[in-house]
Amino acid sequence: MSDETLVPGRRARVTVPVRIVGAGLLGSSIGHALRQNGVDVSLADTSPAQLRLAVDYGAGRAAAEGDDPALVVVCTPPDVVADMVEAELKRFPNAVVTDVASVKLEPLRALRGRGIDLTNYVGSHPMAGRERGGAISARADLFAGRPWVICRDGETPTQALALVEDLALDLEAVPMEMTPEEHDRSVALVSHVPQVVASLLAARFVDAPEHALALAGQGVRDTTRIAHSAPELWVQILAANAEPVTQQLDLLAADLSLVADALRDPDRQGSRRTAADAIRAGNVGVERLPGKHGQRRRFETFVVMVDDVSGQLGRLFGDLGELNVNVEDLRLEHSPGAPLGLAEISVDPATLQPAVDGLTSRGWRIAGTSD
Amino acid sequence: MSDETLVPGRRARVTVPVRIVGAGLLGSSIGHALRQNGVDVSLADTSPAQLRLAVDYGAGRAAAEGDDPALVVVCTPPDVVADMVEAELKRFPNAVVTDVASVKLEPLRALRGRGIDLTNYVGSHPMAGRERGGAISARADLFAGRPWVICRDGETPTQALALVEDLALDLEAVPMEMTPEEHDRSVALVSHVPQVVASLLAARFVDAPEHALALAGQGVRDTTRIAHSAPELWVQILAANAEPVTQQLDLLAADLSLVADALRDPDRQGSRRTAADAIRAGNVGVERLPGKHGQRRRFETFVVMVDDVSGQLGRLFGDLGELNVNVEDLRLEHSPGAPLGLAEISVDPATLQPAVDGLTSRGWRIAGTSD
């Protein structure tokens, strides 16, 4: 993908009429992106209010009798995806029907159990979302840069698959082919189980004393950040992907018990090794997560002290810009009651020294580097 | 604390000679900060190489016969803290002795069991650290803005306590008084258990297929970030704080099993409620974590699309500076294979619209706001 695809006026791959069922966050976002490409987008939603909002915001027009979509995208909650896909396949037998649900096997099983011709159905799952939902939160760039899983089987016609891939590409997502089983086990591991774990860890804070929470640092804030997620949606996701999630939760509970048992008698032979093995395995595992551009992170980090007053960060950003420092990552940190903040800045190793020198010469206090 | 305390030349509270035992990251960092205040800092370390490095980097002078410190700070690994504190109390009976170990009850119990006069001992724990250790990673500002727990009991003389508090304040930390039991239970909850959980979660990725890891997003990256921590140190911490950690791990394993059991039969009555309750309790718990300045976050967020080319972020920072936007938080995100990045920027609600308008008029693509 070249830079040219990123500017308005790029060539659209999908030019056929598209029908979107469910005009919430995902459906409306897809609508906005396709509308920008001049595509005829018709929207349907069981909620007239949601539909009106999506239309008002420009995600498409309300669906009408006589619509003849070539592509239908079902963007409803997981619980009703199978029903919706079935209805759309029957109503538009010439259209390719896809969905964006975050589980793929259960809807497929349900559809297969109904004896429907699934030739034109291609399940998919864009790995995108926001903390707030609804048509009002939709944005054309929601999928930009995110993986978009597309599930095929032996019977999926090439052109149906290509149409869904084109949709993903037009939305600037990164298409990835997977079987439904591979997809569901994968998201159980990297999304659903982390959600349960973060939620349960944060649930321990409900009755915790204030003085304990006052010691919370960036570590635990990161570990529990996704505990903010919405219960309604997650119950559907977890229930629909129950088997792979349960498998992983059982393994994790067993691992937790192993460490707890070791720590019950920390001076017994082998106890410390059990604890060390757990931390060490975590070191290996976390290194396997893709960082930016799918590569491991190879950045150097330095920390700039920032007085917590208006304009200070702006000045830092301005100085970084003038110094032509290509910031790979930036993290701001404050502590309770602290009069200043720390800006942790990651840069290419080659630019570490010039960046530190340049900022120092402009009067910034550098608190440390990763060297 | 006023801004004046942040500039060099501020009035030092601690002016007496200070001896630091253990010239690693924490000890050397304390040394650097005190040296900046003109304090006589003597350093001791069992490793001559580490000591030489710390002295070379300016953390203090090597300890010598005839030293007469008024304050001793023991900065050794948790396993040897009690031995070191005992030795220092005996060698310098007129000095206040503190330590910075991340567990407080076990060293105190060990010391009490030896029948030593502990009047001059004040345990403490600065909530600071870095991923890399050693004198070479030390920095004077390591403790700036971080909580520094100070443990007193009924026998602690006021002036001993005040001296350790002055040390924390001179290092720009935020002193907090707690009992050793309160401290250990608190750090088990907000630090030690999250570490174990993040490590075990990341350990599940050791044998995971590449295609699963390719779907990892910011959520799981945050949840497992601290899994990078060093096994050697953490085994000592976990073993020394075994009882509170084990209690919390048992509770968490039980919670995990509860959710796993519910998902084993997701359509049984009550199953979905169990899952929803877990996510909902996580919502409540995570909201209790202090954010910036100990307050809940009340920021609005918008996302700027950033082409992943050198200079783009610098230009964004420059524009933000010129627009006088006070950025409260900033998070950069890239996906594997994505040609662009997303910069999520949090600002005061009042400045959201001017910021979005200003950036848009300068040609930036705003991907969305939290409204």
Side-chain angles (χ1 to χ4, degrees):
Chain A
M1 207 186 276
S2 77
D3 275 350
E4 288 164 43
T5 63
L6 303 177
V7 299
R10 64 184 184 274
R11 199 179 61 80
R13 292 173 183 82
V14 176
T15 52
V16 293
V18 176
R19 170 176 159 89
I20 295 171
V21 180
L25 172 66
L26 296 186
S28 289
S29 293
I30 295 172
H32 283 293
L34 292 175
R35 286 296 306 133
Q36 285 186 358
N37 286 353
V39 173
D40 173 35
V41 176
S42 56
L43 301 168
D45 199 294
T46 52
S47 156
Q50 178 95 289
L51 178 60
R52 211 154 38 227
L53 210 56
V55 172
D56 280 357
Y57 274 75
R61 61 173 175 83
E65 288 300 315
D67 283 347
D68 187 21
L71 174 63
V72 177
V73 188
V74 172
C75 303
T76 60
D79 267 9
V80 293
V81 158
D83 290 348
M84 291 294 162
V85 168
E86 177 180 6
E88 298 298 317
L89 284 170
K90 286 180 175 166
R91 183 163 172 194
F92 302 105
N94 297 321
V96 171
V97 177
T98 188
D99 74 302
V100 299
S102 47
V103 287
K104 298 270 64 86
L105 194 55
E106 196 190 77
L108 185 65
R109 274 189 189 143
L111 288 166
R112 281 183 179 151
R114 298 174 194 184
I116 312 156
D117 176 8
L118 295 175
T119 310
N120 284 342
Y121 170 63
V122 181
S124 79
H125 178 209
M127 307 295 292
R130 304 190 61 198
E131 286 179 24
R132 300 193 198 186
I136 205 167
S137 304
R139 57 193 216 208
D141 294 311
L142 187 70
F143 309 97
R146 316 277 182 165
W148 188 312
V149 176
I150 299 171
C151 295
R152 74 184 304 176
D153 57 36
E155 294 148 44
T156 311
T158 308
Q159 75 211 53
L161 198 74
L163 187 55
V164 179
E165 277 188 5
D166 282 349
L167 175 70
L169 290 171
D170 276 357
L171 272 53
E172 299 183 48
V174 183
M176 296 187 185
E177 269 189 39
M178 250 178 239
T179 68
E181 291 82 358
E182 285 171 340
H183 169 273
D184 284 7
R185 281 196 298 265
S186 298
V187 291
L189 188 70
V190 301
S191 170
H192 304 175
V193 166
Q195 178 62 54
V196 172
V197 168
S199 293
L200 291 178
L201 192 59
R204 297 267 119 232
F205 305 146
V206 172
D207 299 318
E210 288 287 343
H211 66 254
L213 301 174
L215 300 188
Q218 194 56 44
V220 66
R221 281 201 289 272
D222 283 349
T223 311
T224 57
R225 186 181 62 81
I226 53 173
H228 285 287
S229 301
E232 298 73 20
L233 176 65
W234 273 97
V235 167
Q236 291 191 33
I237 293 174
L238 295 173
N241 201 24
E243 196 185 312
V245 170
T246 307
Q247 274 178 13
Q248 286 292 332
L249 287 181
D250 285 343
L251 290 168
L252 196 63
D255 288 348
L256 273 179
S257 298
L258 202 68
V259 174
D261 288 343
L263 293 179
R264 242 176 280 282
D265 186 359
D267 295 323
R268 189 183 52 202
Q269 199 186 342
S271 283
R272 287 179 180 231
R273 180 169 176 168
T274 300
D277 285 350
I279 306 287
R280 207 172 288 120
N283 291 169
V284 177
V286 74
E287 275 293 318
R288 292 197 66 209
L289 285 183
K292 298 175 177 176
H293 315 277
Q295 295 163 359
R296 306 254 168 91
R297 298 170 62 140
R298 282 195 212 90
F299 304 128
E300 296 292 337
T301 297
F302 63 97
V303 176
V304 183
M305 318 286 295
V306 183
D307 285 351
D308 194 20
V309 291
S310 178
Q312 272 285 74
L313 267 172
R315 191 166 70 79
L316 173 62
F317 295 158
D319 284 351
L320 285 166
E322 286 177 26
L323 290 166
N324 281 318
V325 175
N326 189 20
V327 174
E328 291 288 345
D329 205 352
L330 186 144
R331 176 183 289 273
L332 293 178
E333 193 171 340
H334 301 240
S335 273
L340 48 81
L342 306 173
E344 190 177 277
I345 295 172
S346 301
V347 296
D348 186 87
T351 59
L352 175 68
Q353 208 50 52
V356 168
D357 293 346
L359 288 176
T360 304
S361 76
R362 285 162 184 245
W364 290 99
R365 293 207 292 159
I366 309 297
T369 71
S370 56
D371 263 342
Chain B
M1 206 187 275
S2 77
D3 275 349
E4 288 164 42
T5 63
L6 301 178
V7 298
R10 66 184 183 274
R11 198 178 64 79
R13 292 173 184 83
V14 176
T15 53
V16 294
V18 176
R19 172 177 158 87
I20 294 170
V21 181
L25 172 66
L26 296 186
S28 291
S29 293
I30 295 172
H32 284 292
L34 292 175
R35 287 295 306 133
Q36 286 186 357
N37 286 353
V39 173
D40 172 36
V41 175
S42 57
L43 301 168
D45 200 294
T46 51
S47 156
Q50 178 95 291
L51 178 60
R52 212 156 35 229
L53 211 55
V55 171
D56 281 356
Y57 274 75
R61 61 175 176 81
E65 287 300 316
D67 283 347
D68 187 20
L71 175 63
V72 177
V73 188
V74 172
C75 303
T76 60
D79 267 8
V80 293
V81 159
D83 290 347
M84 289 295 162
V85 168
E86 177 180 7
E88 297 298 317
L89 285 169
K90 287 180 173 163
R91 182 164 172 194
F92 302 105
N94 297 320
V96 171
V97 177
T98 188
D99 73 302
V100 299
S102 46
V103 287
K104 298 270 62 85
L105 194 55
E106 195 189 78
L108 185 65
R109 274 188 188 144
L111 288 166
R112 282 183 178 151
R114 297 173 193 185
I116 311 157
D117 177 7
L118 295 175
T119 310
N120 284 341
Y121 170 62
V122 181
S124 79
H125 178 209
M127 306 294 294
R130 304 190 61 200
E131 284 180 25
R132 299 194 198 187
I136 206 167
S137 303
R139 59 192 215 206
D141 295 311
L142 186 69
F143 309 97
R146 315 278 182 166
W148 188 311
V149 176
I150 300 172
C151 296
R152 75 185 304 178
D153 56 36
E155 294 148 43
T156 311
T158 309
Q159 77 210 52
L161 198 75
L163 187 56
V164 179
E165 277 188 7
D166 282 348
L167 175 70
L169 290 170
D170 276 357
L171 272 54
E172 300 183 48
V174 182
M176 296 187 184
E177 270 189 39
M178 250 178 238
T179 67
E181 291 82 359
E182 284 171 342
H183 169 273
D184 284 7
R185 281 197 297 267
S186 298
V187 291
L189 188 70
V190 301
S191 169
H192 304 176
V193 166
Q195 178 62 55
V196 172
V197 167
S199 293
L200 291 178
L201 192 59
R204 297 267 121 234
F205 305 145
V206 171
D207 299 318
E210 288 288 342
H211 67 253
L213 300 174
L215 300 188
Q218 195 56 44
V220 66
R221 281 202 290 273
D222 282 350
T223 311
T224 57
R225 186 182 61 82
I226 54 173
H228 285 288
S229 301
E232 300 73 19
L233 176 65
W234 272 98
V235 168
Q236 291 192 33
I237 293 173
L238 294 174
N241 201 25
E243 197 185 312
V245 171
T246 308
Q247 273 177 14
Q248 287 292 332
L249 287 181
D250 284 344
L251 290 168
L252 196 64
D255 288 348
L256 273 179
S257 297
L258 202 68
V259 174
D261 287 344
L263 293 178
R264 242 175 281 283
D265 187 358
D267 295 323
R268 188 183 51 201
Q269 198 186 342
S271 284
R272 287 179 180 231
R273 180 169 175 169
T274 300
D277 285 350
I279 306 287
R280 207 173 287 121
N283 290 170
V284 177
V286 74
E287 276 292 319
R288 291 198 66 209
L289 286 183
K292 297 176 176 174
H293 313 277
Q295 296 162 358
R296 308 256 167 89
R297 297 170 61 140
R298 281 193 214 91
F299 304 128
E300 295 293 337
T301 297
F302 62 95
V303 175
V304 183
M305 318 288 294
V306 183
D307 283 352
D308 195 21
V309 291
S310 178
Q312 272 285 74
L313 266 172
R315 190 165 71 79
L316 173 62
F317 295 158
D319 284 350
L320 284 166
E322 286 175 27
L323 291 166
N324 282 317
V325 176
N326 189 21
V327 174
E328 291 288 345
D329 205 351
L330 188 144
R331 176 184 289 274
L332 293 178
E333 192 171 340
H334 302 240
S335 273
L340 50 80
L342 306 173
E344 190 177 277
I345 295 173
S346 300
V347 296
D348 186 87
T351 59
L352 174 68
Q353 208 51 52
V356 169
D357 292 346
L359 289 176
T360 305
S361 75
R362 285 162 185 245
W364 291 99
R365 291 207 292 159
I366 309 298
T369 71
S370 53
D371 264 342

